[in-house]
């Protein structure tokens, strides 16, 4: 990645493109420099995914088939050729079976469509189209923005606000109610509660139904309100940030939310750019024209034309026109822009706002936040439907036994109400409160400090992750480059031998510029003066090239008398000042910093010149004649400089080995050394040079300027002229730079791999860099091969590449974003099938939209839970599209952290977040939900036994407070204390990540466990009711006392049976509930006979019934743990 001296732009994926101002329009006389940094990735245009897809049997293409496909004229024949064929080139006999199976699927698709709520999708689609017809959205359009004395800008554009909230004041209640009652459980209880207003079917008191339902909705609204208010406060903090606005009367301060199109904004160092702007001018001391006359912008009459808003952050089409003193028009491109959410790294930049709010590039690449629903909630919702079906069947059976006589439908509805506790409303209360407890535990975990839970509704999702999609720069790496190796063909220098390089540089300048005052360290190996001079000369040429071929600007910071930092680049005045290098690429900063360490330092740079300081302290002056910036297509950058002391003109070029290998002169060591460095996980750059005579340069300059003035095909013509110069260059060296990984990235990725989680790396970086990081971070294991997709231009290429990749077993996949789009356009299903089978996937050159699309593809094709991790604004779409979004607070800002569900400070915290908190949250909620269902099922079983014994009457067994108190004060505390239970310690869970793999199978909430708890409930409910009926002697009230007391004791004992690790609060909850119940025996005399429960008969009957209901389960649990122990019990 390169930049010029006018702008040093720090990009999250720096090799992709430069974002930010290159220089202001030439019509503005005062020019300066600015530096900005961005957190955007690459945005590529989305391709249509329509088109035929082959789903024929798998196999390999035969040679004759491949030859046939290579013909462009026969590309249409691909429809007739299966993507995968049998080894003999003939379709296997499974073809007919596959076709018939597909036909059978179509017959059942209509029924499955109805059962799976397909009608709901069509309804939403219809409502959406109706909304679009009724509410016409304003289409984005190009605009002409006036500057100076022109008329005041009257057009209205979106407000410049950042909004991550899910609700507004008006939509909060309707949306929260909709999100709650779309769950079958809550909708069912709403209908039941409403039915109690009908006197004919009323059972008990209204508060027994409306109080629990109201409490559930109240708790949910409070939680959603708190979460959304936190988002509002974060958004308000960003929107209220003050910026300097230039007006005719002077500079005023306005909040970011008040910035409008046509405003002229001044951005200082380390300040966020609030909106998309066209870069006008800057102020730094690197140019002759200083920032002396601020108000002259309002003395001109000009206008800026900007294209309509779009997603692509790497292109911009516009013009700058001055209409005073003759019409003069200059073209504007990407180098003239400052995108929103970039950061000015040095100096002060001034720009005119062209896009605001949702029309900015960053907002258009960000999807709207949606309410996320966890898989556990969906599974419980489906199980409640089974319970509802059981309620209907039980009611129908009792009505059938009673006979369809008289108002049987009324009795049927009363039975449904009596058995409504089969579907426990308290389940939602317990789960929601449990989510809050889990979130609190996460934020208080000292092992992951700084972690913030921003979405409290999905902590259990952390325990079900099977695909983790991670950004690279700033997430896996710290975006800090360290120079590691220099190879000049015959000699390789590593970190341990850099003193030799320093010795060679000192020797060269002592020999060519006098003895000086430095002591030359002798070479460790003396093999003759001729060889010595050869090595010294080659090392100097390589180091000099690295010191000149870049887009780095040195900035010196001094403390003035007031203690404030000031910036200067006049290094010859103060060599002791602290220097910082500003550039768009951290690779270039690492190279220039290394040349300074070994003696050849960059001390000054401006628009047209560069100065180097030698080890002797002398200053070398170079004139910058041309700069060829890095682009993702060229994969290289170049510069033409003139040595003012000798008059020599030299063209320096550096870039990726894949393109430089065809540009440099023939050699026999480049490929081998680049491969060796790549295996070490280093980012490689090949550096070359070409001396130019004055005539050669002037001829090139003339042709190059003519190409830049072309209106049609300007880019192609400019590239062609540059390519004519890039021939037969002298190879100087190969450099190896290490992108420093974050702490414990390797063990964390290994931990995730052992836990059964597949990791995909989605980055906007170049392919070579992404591959190096995948190796160095151990995303790709040492024993695994890497398959790199070749460039795909058409359907035939995609066809052949997919077949080639299928032959590679256990190979990681590396593919570029545009190549993936081509595969998805023609073979979406086949590509996703192969990619999901790969142990790891690296997708480079990804735009923010592509990242989100990949997440959606994985969710749709695998039906598995995904987790996205990122740290920049270009990761927000991916984070919001995933089931769980994790944002890192880092150098890229807080945009990803604010939009994520969970915010962490280091990538290594992902391991503990999933292995410990995710696992515990899921297992605890699964146990809690089953136990709450058991609590409702057991009392409903007792009601069914009671009704069947007493002439099938639809009379409630327990009246009034007993029904409400059973699920609240009597059993609430012990049952809810299950959220503190854990099967293994946090250390064990981190040591054995294989335990996490068991959770992905969903056994904790499987229908097998669900039906097992139903059987337990039926058994215990029958024992309790039949036991009370058999042992009671005199009054009916004794049945109530015996059965209800046994029921409460059974619930308390079942909690004790379920707990795996006792906590002090659990013991307290058990005793508290028991004390509350015993006290209520003396209070509610209308339900209990005090004389009876103080008798010995009451005690022994309750004890016997309770033991019969619980002891067999204890025995079965002991036998199961002995003969079929769970996996975690083997580790404790």
């Amino acid at each position: 990645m390169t930049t010029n001296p006018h702008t040093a732009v720090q990009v999250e994926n720096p090799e992709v493109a430069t974002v930010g101002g290159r220089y202001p329009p030439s019509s503005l006389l005062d020019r300066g420099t600015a530096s900005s940094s961005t957190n955007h990735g690459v945005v590529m245009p989305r391709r249509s995914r329509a088109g035929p897809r082959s789903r024929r049997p798998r196999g390999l293409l035969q040679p004759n088939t491949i030859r046939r496909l290579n013909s462009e004229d026969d590309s249409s024949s691909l429809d007739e050729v299966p993507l995968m064929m049998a080894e003999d080139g003939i379709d296997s006999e499974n073809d007919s079976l596959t076709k018939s199976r597909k036909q059978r699927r179509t017959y059942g698709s209509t029924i499955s469509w109805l059962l799976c709520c397909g009608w709901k999708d069509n309804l939403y689609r219809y409502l959406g189209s109706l909304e679009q017809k009724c509410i016409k959205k304003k289409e984005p359009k190009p605009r002409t923005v006036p500057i100076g004395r022109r008329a005041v800008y009257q057009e209205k554009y979106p407000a410049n606000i950042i909004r991550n909230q899910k609700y507004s004041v008006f939509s909060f209640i309707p949306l929260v109610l909709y999100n709650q009652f779309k769950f079958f459980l809550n909708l069912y209880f709403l209908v039941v509660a409403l039915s109690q207003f009908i006197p004919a079917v009323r059972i008990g008191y209204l508060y027994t139904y409306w109080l629990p339902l109201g409490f559930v909705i109240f708790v949910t609204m409070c939680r959603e309100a708190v979460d959304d208010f936190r988002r509002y406060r974060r958004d308000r903090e960003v929107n209220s940030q003050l910026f300097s606005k230039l007006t005719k009367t002077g500079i005023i301060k306005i909040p970011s939310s008040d910035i409008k199109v046509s405003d002229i904004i001044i951005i200082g160092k380390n300040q966020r750019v609030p909106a998309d702007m066209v870069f006008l001018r800057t102020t730094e001391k690197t140019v002759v024209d200083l920032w002396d006359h601020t108000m002259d912008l309002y003395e001109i009459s000009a206008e800026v034309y900007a294209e309509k808003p779009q997603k692509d952050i790497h292109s911009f089409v516009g013009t700058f026109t001055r209409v005073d003193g003759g019409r003069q028009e200059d073209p504007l491109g990407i180098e003239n822009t400052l995108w929103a959410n970039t950061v000015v790294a040095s100096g002060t930049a001034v720009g005119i706002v062209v896009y605001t709010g949702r029309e900015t590039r960053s907002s258009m690449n960000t999807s709207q936040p949606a309410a996320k629903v966890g898989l556990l909630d969906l599974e419980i919702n489906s199980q409640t439907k089974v319970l509802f079906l059981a309620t209907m069947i039980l009611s129908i059976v009792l009505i059938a036994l009673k006979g369809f006589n008289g108002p049987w439908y009324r009795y049927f509805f009363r039975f449904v109400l009596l058995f409504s506790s089969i579907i426990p409303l308290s389940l939602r209360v317990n789960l929601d409160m449990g989510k809050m407890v889990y979130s609190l535990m996460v934020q208080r975990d000292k092992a992951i400090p700084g972690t913030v839970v921003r979405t409290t509704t999905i902590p259990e999702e952390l325990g079900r992750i099977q695909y983790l999609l991670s950004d690279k720069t700033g997430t896996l790496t710290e975006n800090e480059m360290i120079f590691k190796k220099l190879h000049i063909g015959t000699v390789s220098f590593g970190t341990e031998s850099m003193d030799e390089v320093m010795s060679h540089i000192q020797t060269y300048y002592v020999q060519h510029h006098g003895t000086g005052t430095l002591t030359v360290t002798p070479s460790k190996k003396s093999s003759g003066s001729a060889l010595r001079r050869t090595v010294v000369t080659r090392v100097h040429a390589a180091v000099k090239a690295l010191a000149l071929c870049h887009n780095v600007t040195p900035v010196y910071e001094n403390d003035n008398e007031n203690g404030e930092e000031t910036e200067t680049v006049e290094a010859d005045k103060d060599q002791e000042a602290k220097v910082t290098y500003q550039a768009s690429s951290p690779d270039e900063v690492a190279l220039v910093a290394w040349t300074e360490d070994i003696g050849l330092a960059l001390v000054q740079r401006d628009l047209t010149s560069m100065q180097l300081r030698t080890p002797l302290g002398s200053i070398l002056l170079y004139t910058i004649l041309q700069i060829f910036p890095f682009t993702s297509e060229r994969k290289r950058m170049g510069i033409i400089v003139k040595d003012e002391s000798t008059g020599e003109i030299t063209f320096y070029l550096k870039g990726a080995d894949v393109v430089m290998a065809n540009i440099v002169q023939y050699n026999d060591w480049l490929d081998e050394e680049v491969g060796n460095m790549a295996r070490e996980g280093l980012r490689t750059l090949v550096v070359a040079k070409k001396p130019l005579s004055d005539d050669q340069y002037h001829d090139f300059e003339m042709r190059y300027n003519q190409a830049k003035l072309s209106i049609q095909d300007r880019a192609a013509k400019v590239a062609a002229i540059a390519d004519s110069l890039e021939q037969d260059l002298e190879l100087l060296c190969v450099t190896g730079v290490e992108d420093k990984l974050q702490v414990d990235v390797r063990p964390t990725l290994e931990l995730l791999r052992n836990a059964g989680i597949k990791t995909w790396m989605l980055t906007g970086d170049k392919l070579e860099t992404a591959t190096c990081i995948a190796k160095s971070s151990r995303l790709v294991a040492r024993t695994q091969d890497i398959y790199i997709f070749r460039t795909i231009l058409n359907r035939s290429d995609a066809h052949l590449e997919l077949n080639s990749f299928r032959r590679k077993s256990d190979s990681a996949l590396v593919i570029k974003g545009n190549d993936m789009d081509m595969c998805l356009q023609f073979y979406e299903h086949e590509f996703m099938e192969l990619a999901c089978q790969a142990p790891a996937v690296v997708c480079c050159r990804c735009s923010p939209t592509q990242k989100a699309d990949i997440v959606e593809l994985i969710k749709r094709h695998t039906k598995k839970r995904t987790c996205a991790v990122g740290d920049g604004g270009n990761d927000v779409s991916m984070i919001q599209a995933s089931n769980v979004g994790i944002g890192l607070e880092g150098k890229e800002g807080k945009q990803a952290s604010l939009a994520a569900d969970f915010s962490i400070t280091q990538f290594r915290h992902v391991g503990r977040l999933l292995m410990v908190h995710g696992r515990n949250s899921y297992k605890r909620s699964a146990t809690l939900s089953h136990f709450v269902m058991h609590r409702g099922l057991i009392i409903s079983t007792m009601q069914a036994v009671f009704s069947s014994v007493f002439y099938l009457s639809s009379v409630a067994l327990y009246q009034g407070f007993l029904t409400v108190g059973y699920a609240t004060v009597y059993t609430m505390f012990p049952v809810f204390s299950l959220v503190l239970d854990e099967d293994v310690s946090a250390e064990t869970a981190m040591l054995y990540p294989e335990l996490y793999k068991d959770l992905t199978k969903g056994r904790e909430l499987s229908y097998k466990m669900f039906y097992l708890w139903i059987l337990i409930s039926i058994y215990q409910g029958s024992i309790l009711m039949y036991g009370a009926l058999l042992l009671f002697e005199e009054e009916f009230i004794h049945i109530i006392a015996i059965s209800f007391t046994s029921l409460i004791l059974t619930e308390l004992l079942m909690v004790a049976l379920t707990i795996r690790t006792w906590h002090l609060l659990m013991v307290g909850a058990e005793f508290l509930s028991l004390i509350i119940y015993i006290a209520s025996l003396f209070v509610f005399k209308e339900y209990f006979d005090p004389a009876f429960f103080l008798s010995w008969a009451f005690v022994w009957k309750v004890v016997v019934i309770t033991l019969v209901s619980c002891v067999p389960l204890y025995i079965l649990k002991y036998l199961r743990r002995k003969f079929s122990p769970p996996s975690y019990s083997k580790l404790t």
Side-chain angles (χ1 to χ4, degrees), residues 296-309:
D296 61 356
L297 279 174
Y298 282 94
E299 299 300 324
I300 66 174
S301 182
E303 62 186 21
V304 171
Y305 169 80
E307 63 178 346
K308 70 177 183 179

Side-chain angles (χ1 to χ4, degrees), residues 691-702:
L692 301 176
S693 64
D694 290 343
D695 294 338
Q696 285 178 317
Y697 172 71
H698 290 310
D699 176 65
F700 168 80
E701 183 182 32
M702 180 184 64

Side-chain angles (χ1 to χ4, degrees), residues 686-903:
V686 179
V687 185
K689 75 171 184 177
K690 182 178 185 179
L692 301 176
S693 64
D694 290 343
D695 294 338
Q696 285 178 317
Y697 172 71
H698 290 310
D699 176 65
F700 168 80
E701 183 182 32
M702 180 184 64
R703 292 185 292 118
Y704 191 68
N705 290 335
Q706 289 178 351
K708 288 197 295 184
L709 294 175
S710 301
I711 298 177
Q712 295 182 345
D713 300 327
R714 179 190 301 174
K717 292 179 180 179
V718 169
I721 299 300
D723 291 343
S724 67
L725 189 65
E726 298 170 351
Q727 297 178 5
D728 199 32
L729 271 70
E730 177 189 355
L731 176 60
L732 297 178
C733 65
V734 177
T735 63
V737 177
E738 180 185 53
D739 191 351
K740 186 178 180 182
L741 296 175
Q742 286 207 11
V743 179
D744 291 338
V745 163
R746 293 191 182 103
T748 301
L749 290 176
E750 183 179 359
L751 181 79
L752 298 175
R753 183 163 52 245
N754 293 335
I757 299 175
K758 292 187 176 181
T759 305
W760 291 31
M761 185 171 73
L762 312 180
T763 176
D765 221 331
K766 60 182 181 179
L767 185 144
E768 295 79 12
T769 303
T771 306
C772 288
I773 296 300
K775 293 177 180 178
S776 62
S777 66
R778 303 292 186 266
L779 175 67
V780 179
R782 292 180 178 272
T783 57
Q784 293 172 349
D785 295 329
I786 294 180
Y787 183 84
I788 300 178
F789 251 59
R790 292 180 297 179
T791 301
I792 297 175
L793 301 177
N794 49 47
R795 186 177 182 183
S796 176
D797 293 340
H799 201 275
L800 297 176
E801 279 299 298
L802 287 173
N803 279 284
S804 299
F805 180 53
R806 183 174 288 275
R807 301 189 189 102
K808 305 292 184 181
S809 60
D810 195 36
S811 294
L813 172 64
V814 178
I815 186 172
K816 296 189 290 292
N818 54 348
D819 295 334
M820 184 189 67
D821 273 351
M822 291 294 292
C823 289
L824 295 175
Q825 181 179 353
F826 301 113
Y827 303 111
E828 179 180 307
H829 177 76
E830 289 78 5
F831 174 79
M832 290 305 300
E833 179 186 8
L834 292 174
C836 291
Q837 291 175 355
V841 176
V842 177
C843 189
C844 51
R845 297 299 190 199
C846 268
S847 69
T849 304
Q850 283 177 322
K851 292 182 178 182
D853 291 342
I854 293 173
V855 174
E856 294 291 349
L857 283 170
I858 295 176
K859 290 164 59 178
R860 185 169 70 248
H861 282 271
T862 66
K863 310 299 181 184
K864 303 295 176 58
R865 313 312 280 178
T866 59
C867 174
V869 186
D871 72 317
N874 60 341
D875 301 318
V876 171
S877 295
M878 172 179 71
I879 287 173
Q880 293 179 339
S882 62
N883 299 110
V884 178
I886 301 177
L888 272 75
E889 292 188 10
K891 297 179 180 179
E892 302 296 335
K894 294 185 177 182
Q895 192 171 356
S897 171
L898 296 178
D901 304 308
F902 299 87
S903 172

